[in-house]
Amino acid sequence: MFFLQRSIISCGRNGTGAWARVLPPTHPAVKDIQQRDIHEMSGDVVPRNMIKGIGHLRDPRLNKGLAFTLEERITLGIHGLQPPRFKTQEEQLALCKASVMKYTEDLNRYLYLVELQERNERLFFRLLSENIEQMMPIVYTPTVGLACQKFGVIYRRPRGLFITIYDKGHISEILNNWPEQAVRAICVTDGERILGLGDLGACGMGIPVGKLALYTALAGIKPHQCLPITIDVGTNNEQLRNDPHYIGLNKPRSQGAEYDELIDEFMAACVRKYGQNVLIQFEDFGNHNAFRFLDKYRDKYCTFNDDIQGTAAVAVAGILASKRITKRKMSDNKFVFLGAGEAAIGIADLCVKAMEADGCTEKQARDNIWMMDIDGLLVKERPEGNLEGHKVWYAKDYKVMKKLIDVVKEVKPTVLIGASAAAGAFTSEVLAEMAKNNERPLIFALSNPTSKAECTAQQAYDHTDGRCVFSSGSPFGEVVYKGKTYKPGQGNNAYIFPGIALGVIATGCHHITEELFLISAQAVADHVTDEDLNRGSLYPPLDIIKECSIEIAVRIANYAYRKGGLASEYPEPRDKRSFIASKMYDANYDSPLPNLYQWPGDSAKPRTLPEKECVDILHDLKQL
């Protein structure tokens, strides 16, 4: 990043210059300036005089708003460009939080946070990381889905790279246009399957932007190390192509060899530009491509697919945590999945690994898993055929069954998992049957956004006599059933992928193996307390996700160094936790002396706004 240039004393202004009358030689700031030639802001050494004047205020990574001290304002050439008031970061945070909450529409809150990130990066990430429960549903699911649908209208300025099918042969040149050179993590989508919303083409850029914001807020990965990318090969969404506000290529999706060659070139170009260990996260690719690319690249690159592996890890974490309620081992469960796409298959595959850890064979584990897709139960001899890819592993030698209720009655599962984007598919009859067959049935309605969930939390409790153990992919509010209040947990991938990325980047892992996701799932489950379980949540509170991320990274580091050849960052650190912490981003402003937040002779002291004053600010804003 950049360093402040503070050499006003050595530039002829000491003693007799005009600024000496503002900053006398005895002022603590003057002594501080004389003792330091450079001042670190984020970890990368750049001469202080690289950016001065109004450019400093316009750079979101350097801008601190009214938190610039008098010394800094003079040194940087911004004195007079701002009001004379000094504010601490804490005061700014209180105002920003109140400003976000003045909006009644989540999309407007999203736009406010986007503007804040583009204006003052550290303030944005501190606001997000310290208010996860309120802010994450805005920058991530469910609001990010709406933001993607409206992306053509709300797009303002570059927040990542767009690579099109017509750029084939020139991807390296496009990567060179990105201003940051120290990229360690890339999140890429082709926009074909955005959440449960389908093909949004270039408007899918909201997903990698949101994911990488959580990399920083939840795991401390430095923002300049993150690069969002959308690969635009067209869209099959005719409504989008007919929309005058659509920002992508107005053509049907390219497929086949041309498409594959583009992705091959993209992967090679990323490694050539940023090194063999650059992490490449695939996000929201269509089912037919997601598994193909995972199988193709996982042993050649440092890559993973969050829809397959991240979703799997967070779901398995919930099931592992539920063992303290159900008293069942993982291998004692019988699973029925509604949906057989990348999320469902990913969860099933990791469940198999977890059951193997319990002592099952792979075949025994797969026999415990029954899956349904749009054509019904996966059976070997069904009329529709189409048992391609990983689906064949879960096809049963069984009769054809088309309805979920029939499968639940026949199989009598202990765990019902929805990853189908079929809203309302867990009917009252299905839920009642689960309760009939189990004292504590596990109901996971994981499809998102919320409008696509297989059932609501209220429905799950109502139709299982309050005995279900419920989890969802998008957040639901508190549920009251027979006088008891439940606060169900959200099986959010954000518990997993930031910590995975932190551990992999810190240790320089060459590849991301399935074992890392099982390690991560267990780490999250271990953070679930009895109090969490009693309130109906299989996950820890959202506001401790950062602690989960650090623990995941530490466990990955221990595994990576124990498993020869996985880590490449040497020498092996003795204290893994301190080592991980040393790699993390600090969203706090550098802390000057307290009396630098005042004019010479001013007796006012910096302060943190009390709760009442925050409420007053919110009231004032609502009157605007």
Side-chain angles (χ1 to χ4, degrees):
M1 186 81 63
F2 299 95
F3 289 77
L4 295 177
Q5 208 284 348
R6 298 189 180 194
S7 57
I8 61 171
I9 301 304
S10 61
C11 292
R13 291 177 177 173
N14 55 324
T16 59
W19 294 122
R21 290 192 293 274
V22 178
L23 290 178
T26 57
H27 195 287
V30 174
K31 295 180 180 179
D32 182 61
I33 295 167
Q34 291 170 328
Q35 293 171 356
R36 291 174 291 162
D37 291 324
I38 58 173
H39 175 65
E40 180 173 87
M41 289 189 69
S42 70
D44 299 323
V45 178
V46 176
R48 289 184 186 176
N49 57 1
M50 288 290 288
I51 290 187
K52 290 187 67 176
I54 200 165
H56 211 95
L57 297 176
R58 290 173 175 167
D59 189 321
R61 300 205 178 154
L62 301 178
N63 184 27
K64 299 196 295 186
L66 295 182
F68 284 113
T69 65
L70 179 59
E71 171 212 352
E72 290 169 331
R73 296 181 192 199
I74 295 170
T75 306
L76 295 167
I78 59 175
H79 187 56
L81 298 179
Q82 296 178 294
R85 169 71 190 274
F86 303 111
K87 284 191 175 185
T88 64
Q89 192 178 25
E90 285 69 27
E91 290 177 289
Q92 292 176 322
L93 282 169
L95 180 58
C96 288
K97 186 174 180 180
S99 297
V100 172
M101 302 316 294
K102 80 172 184 178
Y103 295 106
T104 56
E105 298 293 330
D106 282 342
L107 185 59
N108 289 330
R109 292 175 176 171
Y110 176 89
L111 292 173
Y112 175 87
L113 291 175
V114 167
E115 188 275 333
L116 178 61
Q117 185 178 10
E118 293 174 350
R119 171 169 54 86
N120 186 329
E121 189 173 78
R122 283 188 286 175
L123 186 59
F124 165 79
F125 281 117
R126 189 167 165 195
L127 178 67
L128 181 54
S129 63
E130 293 182 8
N131 299 276
I132 291 298
E133 192 160 359
Q134 299 102 318
M135 302 300 166
M136 194 164 74
I138 302 172
V139 300
Y140 191 45
T141 57
T143 307
V144 71
L146 178 59
C148 286
Q149 290 175 303
K150 305 288 186 183
F151 201 80
V153 177
I154 67 176
Y155 177 78
R156 294 292 181 271
R157 56 174 285 178
R159 303 185 69 198
L161 286 177
F162 290 88
I163 297 171
T164 76
I165 190 70
Y166 301 129
D167 296 317
K168 193 164 164 287
H170 302 281
I171 294 178
S172 290
E173 297 166 34
I174 294 175
L175 293 179
N176 286 335
N177 289 337
W178 187 247
E180 300 293 346
Q181 302 303 308
V183 171
R184 299 294 306 278
I186 293 169
C187 184
V188 59
T189 186
D190 72 348
E192 186 172 5
R193 194 201 60 82
I194 299 298
L195 303 176
L197 302 171
D199 187 348
L200 295 185
C203 293
M205 176 59 95
I207 295 296
V209 167
K211 290 277 185 177
L212 291 176
L214 296 184
Y215 267 39
T216 301
L218 304 183
I221 296 168
K222 296 172 184 176
H224 71 276
Q225 294 180 333
C226 300
L227 172 55
I229 294 180
T230 291
I231 295 179
D232 187 355
V233 296
T235 175
N236 292 334
N237 186 329
E238 290 189 20
Q239 184 178 353
L240 271 184
R241 295 208 304 266
N242 294 328
D243 184 347
H245 299 299
Y246 180 55
I247 60 171
L249 295 180
N250 193 352
K251 63 180 285 296
R253 281 188 170 272
S254 298
Q255 298 177 346
E258 183 184 29
Y259 174 81
D260 286 1
E261 288 167 7
L262 181 74
I263 304 299
D264 284 344
E265 181 188 346
F266 166 75
M267 298 296 285
C270 289
V271 165
R272 192 161 51 246
K273 174 71 175 176
Y274 301 118
Q276 185 65 46
N277 291 341
V278 63
L279 186 156
I280 304 173
Q281 174 180 330
F282 279 71
E283 191 69 38
D284 287 355
F285 280 71
N287 289 348
H288 53 291
N289 289 321
F291 279 105
R292 239 175 15 98
F293 290 147
L294 181 59
D295 292 339
K296 183 177 184 179
Y297 297 130
R298 70 193 312 167
D299 295 326
K300 298 178 182 177
Y301 297 95
C302 180
T303 186
F304 73 100
N305 185 300
D306 186 52
D307 303 299
I308 298 172
Q309 296 164 292
T311 301
V314 76
V316 169
I319 298 168
L320 291 173
S322 77
K323 293 195 297 184
R324 287 147 59 189
I325 298 174
T326 64
K327 311 303 181 186
R328 290 191 297 263
K329 294 195 306 180
M330 192 75 177
S331 55
D332 291 336
N333 283 302
K334 187 173 287 188
F335 302 82
V336 164
F337 284 79
L338 182 65
E342 55 196 284
I345 295 287
I347 298 169
D349 288 349
L350 199 62
C351 284
V352 168
K353 281 204 166 291
M355 286 187 275
E356 287 180 299
D358 273 353
C360 284
T361 66
E362 184 177 72
K363 182 181 183 309
Q364 288 171 333
R366 286 179 178 165
D367 286 345
N368 284 338
I369 295 173
W370 299 67
M371 304 193 80
M372 298 184 69
D373 64 9
I374 195 170
D375 294 316
L377 186 66
L378 299 189
V379 295
K380 294 178 181 178
E381 301 298 331
R382 69 178 183 177
E384 296 82 6
N386 66 6
L387 290 177
E388 73 283 349
H390 293 214
K391 284 184 179 182
V392 298
W393 296 346
Y394 300 102
K396 299 290 186 284
D397 189 4
Y398 208 76
K399 63 185 177 183
V400 173
M401 301 180 76
K402 298 291 187 182
K403 295 181 179 179
L404 176 61
I405 182 60
D406 294 336
V407 173
V408 170
K409 285 181 176 179
E410 187 100 1
V411 174
K412 294 181 172 51
T414 58
V415 185
L416 179 62
I417 297 178
S420 64
F426 291 173
T427 63
S428 57
E429 188 181 5
V430 168
L431 294 169
E433 187 67 23
M434 287 293 297
K436 175 183 174 183
N437 297 326
N438 300 280
E439 178 61 30
R440 300 301 303 272
L442 268 64
I443 309 294
F444 282 31
L446 300 181
S447 292
N448 53 45
T450 311
S451 60
K452 300 289 185 179
E454 285 77 11
C455 69
T456 67
Q458 187 71 58
Q459 289 166 344
Y461 285 102
D462 285 348
H463 299 298
T464 60
D465 195 28
R467 291 186 284 111
C468 71
V469 182
F470 178 80
S471 178
S472 60
S474 286
F476 283 100
E478 291 184 347
V479 172
V480 178
Y481 181 79
K482 291 187 177 178
K484 182 174 180 180
T485 300
Y486 300 90
K487 192 174 181 182
Q490 178 191 1
N492 197 316
N493 292 21
Y495 284 108
I496 301 294
F497 67 80
I500 291 271
L502 178 60
V504 166
I505 290 171
T507 59
C509 284
H510 296 299
H511 304 293
I512 303 176
T513 65
E514 285 299 299
E515 285 74 18
L516 301 190
F517 291 95
L518 197 54
I519 288 169
S520 301
Q522 188 62 63
V524 172
D526 289 345
H527 275 77
V528 179
T529 65
D530 290 342
E531 183 181 352
D532 296 327
L533 296 175
N534 289 336
R535 65 184 172 90
S537 178
L538 293 174
Y539 297 97
L542 289 173
D543 59 10
I544 71 161
I545 286 186
K546 198 162 190 176
E547 295 174 31
C548 291
S549 296
I550 293 171
E551 180 62 25
I552 287 170
V554 170
R555 294 191 190 191
I556 285 175
N558 286 326
Y559 177 82
Y561 285 106
R562 189 172 67 247
K563 185 88 170 175
L566 193 57
S568 65
E569 186 84 12
Y570 286 100
E572 178 181 349
R574 280 186 170 185
D575 185 340
K576 304 293 194 303
R577 188 169 292 273
S578 296
F579 168 70
I580 294 295
S582 72
K583 301 286 187 179
M584 296 174 67
Y585 174 71
D586 183 3
N588 294 286
Y589 299 151
D590 45 321
S591 300
L593 297 170
N595 60 357
L596 295 187
Y597 280 117
Q598 63 189 66
W599 289 89
D602 190 346
S603 61
K605 298 295 181 183
R607 62 199 178 91
T608 300
L609 292 182
E611 185 69 25
K612 181 181 183 305
E613 195 158 338
C614 294
V615 172
D616 291 342
I617 291 172
L618 179 57
H619 177 269
D620 291 342
L621 286 168
K622 284 183 175 179
Q623 306 309 309
L624 297 178

